[in-house]
């Protein structure tokens, strides 16, 4: 039998989902995350889930993992010390950067620039130059390069970046520097810009390669340690990591290109939501992934998740494909407080995290959080994780009472205020990826997952006008489901800066075909059969003179059949949707990319037994919760006992091992054929 294990490490919990690929049976498990060493939590969960399924780690053929190791290294400033080698005259490339000041008050404030990932004292220039066509104008000098490398080695750099002028057109000089570096500093990982990002724009290419170098030692040591611990535990299967763009890459490749992992964690939720949507017959979805620390939102249109060409983590913005996920500091652990200066209630972005956690968890937390407010209002019953995790309601009440006293209002009003504010924060993030991108949220369903997503999805759907609000099967481990069900993915890029009317279609297609062959060979080297590999093309297009481009996906057959005319039409349509206008200017091709995808996991639909519409067999007990300004009678149901077609009138709470779904007073939840709860206005 072949088993796939999806593992997602969050700020509060580590989620695991184990699939039997032959029978379709699955097991799920949540275990507290171990922030000091996330592999510890993974191994605890692995042991527990194998015991549940009655197997050993040796039975797992595919171990698929979404990780925030690279993300946290950037956010916490724990990247390695990077040495940077640039062409003569480019020593300040990281300091000059782009002229950008964030925030609406840009003209009124002094904004200190973030420290570059490669310091000026660790940046050295070398002679040698390629021209704009990739031809050598001046040769490099080996003796000068050796001296520069010895200087960086003696300074104690932990990673090396080589980014030379026009290196994306001809990487020969960079390759030679890399060869000498391997000889002079053999233990230091080396990142060459023409391998990491073979695209024009010196600053973006250098920054992306420096970011790759900065997280390489951290990610490399984590991946190697995890792999050796899994091997020691008897797991001989393959270990793959989730990329920011929602595809998988081998653990070995991730050690070389960790910049592709910067949004690995949130990508799992989007790929899991896609899998659920296909089974549920939904095409347009907004995702609401609410964890302990933050909420991630994304948009899926026609079962295609939006991708962007820049990955943003904190103040860092690198050129790497990623799913278009926006993150706000609003989660179950977000702390509520009342600043003395304003006397107004605030929620987040500070979080109680896994340690000490919300007061209701009884692990030493003292400050009121969103989870505590949900417990006080009766939205979260006193036990979680199938009864194995008891909540301290009295402790939660005492914590929220402090907020109520500071505001001079009642306990329940304060708790509801906390929930309203965190819902508004989520609403704001969803507007950014829908309304601000030219989409009408009323044309989308809203899917809530993560530990706290189904608790908030009904209220946020009301704010958005996005119905139905969907609580998927196993919402608490949906990110792990995404890790377990996604495909291997790789891509390669090349700059091609020409106007359409000066471009030979045949040469563009020939270049793309050549790049496609490269990506296919990479997946074949991972053991994927050539017949299982699908290829697609991506082209970055802009109006001549624009400072930005719009990425477009196109399948090879359409490009061969309709040529660049189809690309031009697609660009005009997308440009008008994004910016509400088009221009008469000439169209320009900027970058070309070829993408190769491995086979998708084909799992049959697991239909629930048909019910008669009455959920009373799943009823656990009567309950009371706060609704419309007063305590109201409600019912608590056991999700595992619900049947297809069951109709649940609100207010109601549906509990399961990994999450809790709240159906509000004037709404009704219907269980679909595969077990999702679809909530609509009554």
């Amino acid at each position: 039998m072949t088993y796939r294990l999806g593992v997602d490490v969050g700020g509060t919990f580590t989620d695991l989902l184990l699939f039997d690929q032959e029978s379709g049976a699955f097991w799920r498990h949540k275990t507290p995350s171990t922030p000091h060493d996330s592999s510890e939590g993974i191994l605890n969960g692995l042991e527990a889930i194998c015991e549940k399924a009655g197997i050993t780690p040796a039975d797992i053929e595919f171990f698929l993992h979404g990780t925030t190791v690279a993300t946290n290294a950037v956010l916490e400033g724990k990247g390695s010390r990077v040495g940077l080698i640039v062409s003569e005259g480019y020593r300040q490339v990281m300091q000059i950067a782009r002229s950008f000041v964030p925030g609406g008050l840009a003209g009124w404030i002094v904004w200190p620039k973030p420290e570059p990932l490669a310091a000026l004292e660790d940046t050295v220039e070398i002679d040698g130059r390629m021209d704009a066509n990739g031809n050598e104008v001046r040769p490099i000098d080996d003796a000068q390069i050796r001296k520069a490398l010895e200087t960086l080695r003696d300074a104690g750099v932990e990673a090396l970046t080589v980014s030379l002028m026009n290196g994306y057109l001809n990487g020969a000089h960079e390759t030679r520097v890399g060869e000498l570096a391997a000889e002079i500093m053999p233990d230091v990982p080396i990142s060459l810009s023409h391998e990491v990002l073979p695209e024009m724009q010196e600053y973006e290419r250098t920054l992306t390669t420096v970011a790759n170098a900065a997280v390489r030692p951290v990610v490399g040591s984590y991946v190697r340690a995890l792999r050796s611990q899994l091997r020691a535990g008897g797991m001989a299967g393959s270990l793959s990591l989730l990329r920011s763009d929602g595809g998988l890459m081998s653990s070995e490749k991730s050690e070389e290109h960790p910049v592709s992992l910067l949004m690995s964690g949130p990508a799992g939720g989007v790929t899991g939501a896609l899998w659920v949507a296909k089974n549920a017959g939904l095409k347009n979805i907004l995702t609401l992934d609410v964890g302990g620390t933050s909420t991630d939102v994304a948009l899926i249109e026609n079962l295609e998740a939006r991708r962007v060409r820049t990955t943003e983590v904190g103040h860092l913005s690198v050129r790497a494909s990623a799913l278009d996920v926006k993150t706000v500091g609003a989660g179950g652990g977000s702390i509520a407080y009342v600043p003395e200066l304003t006397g107004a209630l605030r929620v987040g972005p500070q979080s109680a995290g896994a340690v000490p956690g919300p007061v209701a968890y009884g692990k030493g937390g003292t400050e009121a959080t969103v989870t505590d407010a949900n417990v006080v209002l009766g939205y979260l019953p006193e036990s979680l994780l199938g009864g194995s995790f008891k909540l301290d309601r009295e402790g939660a009440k005492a914590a929220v009472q402090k907020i109520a006293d500071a505001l001079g209002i009642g306990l329940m009003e304060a708790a509801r205020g906390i929930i309203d504010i965190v819902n508004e924060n989520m609403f704001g993030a969803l507007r950014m990826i829908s309304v601000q991108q030219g989409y009408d949220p009323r044309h989308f369903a809203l899917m809530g997952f993560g530990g706290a997503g189904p608790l908030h999805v009904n209220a946020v759907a009301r704010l958005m006008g996005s119905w139905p609000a969907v609580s998927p099967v196993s919402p608490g481990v949906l990110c792990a489901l995404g890790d377990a069900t996604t495909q291997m993915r790789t891509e390669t890029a090349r700059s091609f800066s020409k106007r359409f009317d000066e471009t030979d279609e045949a040469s563009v297609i020939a270049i793309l075909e050549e790049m496609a062959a490269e990506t296919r060979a990479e997946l074949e080297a991972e053991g994927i059969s050539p017949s299982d590999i699908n290829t697609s093309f991506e082209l970055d297009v802009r109006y001549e003179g624009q400072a930005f481009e719009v990425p477009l996906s196109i399948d090879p057959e359409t490009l061969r059949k309709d040529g660049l005319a189809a690309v031009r039409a697609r660009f005009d349509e997308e440009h008008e949707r994004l910016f509400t206008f088009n221009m008469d200017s000439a169209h320009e091709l900027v970058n070309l990319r070829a993408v190769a995808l491995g086979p998708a996991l084909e799992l049959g639909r697991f239909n629930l037994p048909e019910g008669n519409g009455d959920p009373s067999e799943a009823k656990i007990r009567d309950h009371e919760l706060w609704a419309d300004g007063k305590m109201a009678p409600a019912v608590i149901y056991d999700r595992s006992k619900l049947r297809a077609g069951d109709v649940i009138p609100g207010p109601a709470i549906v509990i399961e091992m990994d999450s809790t779904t709240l159906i509000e007073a004037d709404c009704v939840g219907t269980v679909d054929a595969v077990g999702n709860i679809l909530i609509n206005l009554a």
Side-chain angles (χ1 to χ4, degrees):
M1 292 211 282
T2 57
Y3 291 87
R4 292 171 78 97
L5 178 65
V7 179
D8 180 74
V9 179
T12 310
F13 286 106
T14 293
D15 304 328
L16 299 96
L17 193 83
L18 180 69
F19 263 116
D20 179 344
Q21 291 186 179
E22 290 175 11
S23 70
F26 66 91
W27 298 263
R28 55 194 172 171
H29 185 73
K30 285 177 93 75
T31 186
S33 291
T34 47
H36 62 280
D37 177 8
S38 51
S39 63
E40 196 178 298
I42 292 173
L43 295 166
N44 292 341
L46 175 65
E47 188 180 326
I49 204 164
C50 284
E51 195 176 312
K52 277 185 186 178
I55 64 168
T56 67
D59 296 318
I60 297 170
E61 188 178 3
F62 301 103
F63 186 103
L64 312 152
H65 178 27
T67 176
T68 54
V69 171
T71 322
N72 294 343
V74 171
L75 290 175
E76 296 167 14
K78 292 180 180 173
S80 301
R81 183 177 175 183
V82 180
L84 173 61
I85 294 185
V86 295
S87 296
E88 185 184 10
Y90 280 82
R91 187 162 174 250
Q92 283 88 8
V93 63
M94 294 293 288
Q95 283 68 32
I96 294 171
R98 290 277 175 212
S99 55
F100 165 73
V101 177
L105 298 174
W108 306 92
I109 60 173
V110 175
W111 179 60
K113 271 190 184 179
E115 282 297 313
L117 291 175
L120 191 59
E121 59 266 30
D122 293 331
T123 305
V124 292
E125 298 177 349
I126 61 169
D127 296 336
R129 184 64 63 94
M130 297 288 180
D131 69 13
N133 295 313
N135 302 313
E136 187 179 73
V137 177
R138 288 203 309 272
I140 50 176
D141 177 356
D142 278 12
Q144 183 198 29
I145 294 166
R146 285 179 187 278
K147 188 177 176 186
L149 289 167
E150 285 163 3
T151 302
L152 292 174
R153 178 196 63 196
D154 297 343
V157 301
E158 299 161 311
L160 181 70
T161 293
V162 185
S163 181
L164 303 180
M165 181 68 178
N166 293 324
Y168 69 96
L169 290 163
N170 184 342
H173 287 177
E174 290 189 357
T175 302
R176 180 58 184 154
V177 177
E179 289 167 357
L180 293 171
E183 175 191 319
I184 291 166
M185 38 206 327
D187 298 327
V188 172
I190 301 154
S191 298
L192 308 179
S193 78
H194 74 276
E195 292 177 352
V196 174
L197 186 71
E199 293 182 13
M200 63 195 290
Q201 295 186 315
E202 296 304 310
Y203 172 65
E204 281 74 12
R205 179 161 53 89
T206 304
L207 175 65
T208 302
T209 313
V210 167
N212 190 73
V215 297
R216 261 186 88 168
V218 181
V219 172
S221 61
Y222 170 74
V223 170
R224 285 190 295 275
L226 178 60
R227 195 164 50 219
S228 65
Q229 287 170 314
L230 290 171
R231 297 286 180 257
M235 199 210 84
S238 66
L239 169 61
S240 300
L241 278 81
L242 191 68
R243 296 161 50 109
S244 304
D245 57 21
L248 289 168
M249 67 198 300
S250 69
S251 61
E252 290 79 11
K253 179 94 184 285
S254 72
E255 291 178 55
E256 295 174 18
H257 288 272
V259 75
S260 298
L261 301 176
L262 286 174
M263 292 296 281
S264 169
V270 182
T271 54
L274 270 168
W275 190 84
V276 170
K278 284 174 188 169
N279 279 335
L282 298 168
K283 286 191 173 179
N284 295 341
I285 298 172
L286 298 168
T287 70
L288 183 73
D289 179 1
V290 187
T293 307
S294 61
T295 292
D296 301 319
V297 300
L299 181 142
I300 296 169
E301 183 185 31
N302 290 325
L303 293 176
E304 279 288 327
R306 273 182 62 86
R307 286 190 174 83
V308 288
R309 283 293 293 142
T310 51
T311 303
E312 295 183 12
V313 178
H315 63 77
L316 183 70
S317 178
V318 299
R319 188 72 64 82
S321 287
L323 296 175
D324 189 5
V325 177
K326 295 285 185 284
T327 302
V328 288
S334 292
I335 293 170
Y337 61 102
V338 181
E340 266 187 63
L341 182 65
T342 62
L345 177 62
R346 299 286 301 274
V347 182
Q350 301 84 359
S351 171
V355 180
V359 177
Y361 284 8
K363 289 184 176 179
T366 55
E367 297 181 89
T369 66
V370 172
T371 295
D372 296 314
N374 277 314
V375 170
V376 169
L377 293 163
Y379 302 161
L380 205 52
E382 277 93 289
S383 63
L384 296 176
L385 301 184
S388 64
F389 199 77
K390 299 289 181 188
L391 295 176
D392 175 8
R393 188 156 193 248
E394 292 309 311
K397 277 184 173 180
V400 176
Q401 187 64 53
K402 291 181 200 168
I403 300 292
D405 293 343
L407 293 168
I409 58 176
L411 171 69
M412 290 301 184
E413 287 79 7
R416 186 63 222 187
I418 292 170
I419 300 303
D420 287 342
I421 287 175
V422 84
N423 287 342
E424 285 288 342
N425 291 343
M426 296 173 191
F427 175 45
L430 283 161
R431 283 180 59 86
M432 284 172 65
I433 52 108
S434 58
V435 178
Q436 290 185 23
Q437 298 286 346
Y439 293 100
D440 185 339
R442 292 170 298 184
H443 299 158
F444 291 76
L446 180 67
M447 187 181 293
F449 50 93
L455 261 181
H456 295 268
V457 70
N458 194 163
V460 180
R462 191 192 301 275
L463 293 171
M464 293 291 293
S466 301
W467 302 101
V470 184
S471 171
V473 178
S474 300
V477 295
L478 195 81
C479 289
L481 171 77
D483 298 339
T485 56
T486 194
Q487 305 159 270
M488 293 293 284
R489 188 181 198 271
T490 188
E491 67 174 48
T492 186
R494 198 173 297 181
S495 282
F496 186 95
S497 190
K498 280 190 181 177
R499 282 170 35 163
F500 276 43
D501 54 14
E502 297 171 346
T503 302
D504 174 25
E505 278 186 12
S507 65
V508 171
I509 292 170
I511 292 169
L512 285 166
E513 296 284 12
E514 180 191 323
M515 291 162 65
E518 280 177 40
T519 56
R520 293 176 73 87
E522 206 172 300
L523 289 191
E524 285 174 34
E526 298 288 344
I528 296 174
S529 164
S531 60
D532 287 335
I533 299 173
N534 288 314
T535 302
S536 64
F537 298 148
E538 292 181 1
L539 298 90
D540 292 344
V541 183
R542 66 185 177 193
Y543 289 120
E544 189 178 29
Q546 273 185 323
F548 58 90
E549 51 275 349
V550 175
L552 302 171
S553 292
I554 190 162
D555 64 89
E557 289 69 30
T558 304
L559 185 61
R560 291 188 201 101
K561 182 162 62 80
D562 301 331
L564 293 178
V567 178
R568 186 187 287 112
R570 285 272 303 283
F571 172 79
D572 286 341
E573 182 186 328
E574 182 71 359
H575 194 278
E576 184 161 11
R577 188 187 60 74
L578 284 169
F579 308 110
T580 72
F581 71 93
N582 280 330
M583 295 165 62
D584 294 328
S585 308
H587 295 67
E588 186 180 9
L589 261 179
V590 184
N591 298 307
L592 310 176
R593 280 184 301 282
V595 179
L597 288 168
L601 176 64
E602 289 298 331
L603 290 170
R605 274 168 55 117
F606 312 117
N607 290 339
L608 278 189
E610 278 291 331
N612 59 4
D614 179 5
S616 56
E617 282 188 25
K619 180 177 173 178
I620 296 175
R621 61 182 169 87
D622 290 317
H623 182 65
E624 269 198 330
L625 52 74
W626 185 261
D628 298 326
K630 61 182 185 299
M631 294 304 289
V635 180
I636 298 178
Y637 296 95
D638 179 350
R639 186 160 188 171
S640 66
K641 294 178 181 173
L642 290 171
R643 296 292 175 257
D646 282 357
V647 178
I648 307 162
I653 293 170
V654 183
I655 61 171
E656 56 191 304
M657 187 282 286
D658 57 335
S659 193
T660 302
T661 303
L662 172 66
I663 301 169
E664 294 194 337
D666 55 349
C667 295
V668 62
T670 307
V671 182
D672 73 5
V674 290
N676 303 305
I677 300 173
L678 309 179
I679 304 168
N680 283 287
L681 290 167

